[in-house]
Amino acid sequence: MRVPTGLQGHDHRLTRRIAAWDSPVARRLLPAVEETAEHTKLWWVAALGMAARGGRRGRRAAASGVLAMAVAELLSNGVAKQLVERRRPPAEWIPHGDVMDRPDSSSFPSGHTAAAVAFTAAVVPTWPWAGAACAAPAVLVAVARVHSGAHYPSDVAAGAVIGAASAALVRTVPRFLSRRR
């Protein structure tokens, strides 16, 4: 993928700045967020909690979140990563020991961020309080992906756009289809 030169310079500087964020909070919190976000565990636990505790509204919110997350994963990992080949940030840019074994797949876009944003954005219309509670971990997932050296900020931004679009699709397609009948 060819990123415009000016944007690429900003992307690289921001990646280095976020990766260099060295505070006790960052050292404790971000690796834990990274671990819970692996394989969308965080969002499955949130969906189970909503479904178990939230009654009908919780079940609807959980179902919308899981469906949007699946669409986002398909679009980000199944389509976009196959179309755009981008190397992950160089490991030497990451000054801490949290550089994980990074996959060989394309850095663009962030599938973790796409799933986090999709889940959160799909939950909000049905259950705003639960969606608001999901927003903080979703932001932390995005920051953790850059901090760990797995992605550039532009990868995370693209993942967020895919996640938001996936939530919008999940919300609008059933309405559109029901109007057509």
Side-chain angles (χ1 to χ4, degrees):
M1 176 183 150
R2 292 297 297 154
V3 177
T5 305
L7 177 61
Q8 185 175 13
H10 291 300
D11 212 19
H12 289 185
R13 281 190 297 280
L14 192 53
T15 300
R16 289 177 179 186
R17 176 175 258 168
I18 293 170
W21 181 30
D22 187 29
S23 74
V25 172
R27 283 193 304 273
R28 271 194 316 271
L29 183 61
L30 294 179
V33 167
E34 187 93 19
E35 174 58 33
T36 59
E38 278 300 311
H39 308 292
T40 63
K41 292 180 286 200
L42 175 62
W43 310 113
W44 282 103
V45 168
L48 288 171
M50 284 181 221
R53 296 256 191 203
R56 182 170 183 227
R57 179 169 61 172
R59 289 187 296 277
R60 281 183 47 229
S64 294
V66 168
L67 182 57
M69 183 174 63
V71 170
E73 292 258 304
L74 175 68
L75 292 175
S76 63
N77 297 332
V79 177
K81 280 187 186 285
Q82 307 310 313
L83 296 174
V84 179
E85 189 171 317
R86 185 179 193 192
R87 291 184 180 173
R88 297 195 183 261
E92 54 272 7
W93 288 7
I94 315 306
H96 49 78
D98 294 336
V99 179
M100 299 173 35
D101 291 328
R102 297 179 295 176
D104 293 332
S105 63
S106 176
S107 176
F108 185 90
S110 169
H112 286 80
T113 303
V117 170
F119 185 87
T120 302
V123 166
V124 165
T126 304
W127 197 1
W129 286 103
C134 292
V139 168
L140 287 173
V141 166
V143 171
R145 297 306 289 166
V146 177
H147 186 263
S148 70
H151 291 286
Y152 293 99
S154 59
D155 302 335
V156 168
V161 169
I162 290 170
S166 298
L169 275 172
V170 164
R171 188 139 175 90
T172 58
V173 167
R175 288 185 201 160
F176 174 76
L177 292 177
S178 69
R179 285 187 206 148
R180 303 250 356 190
R181 289 185 192 170

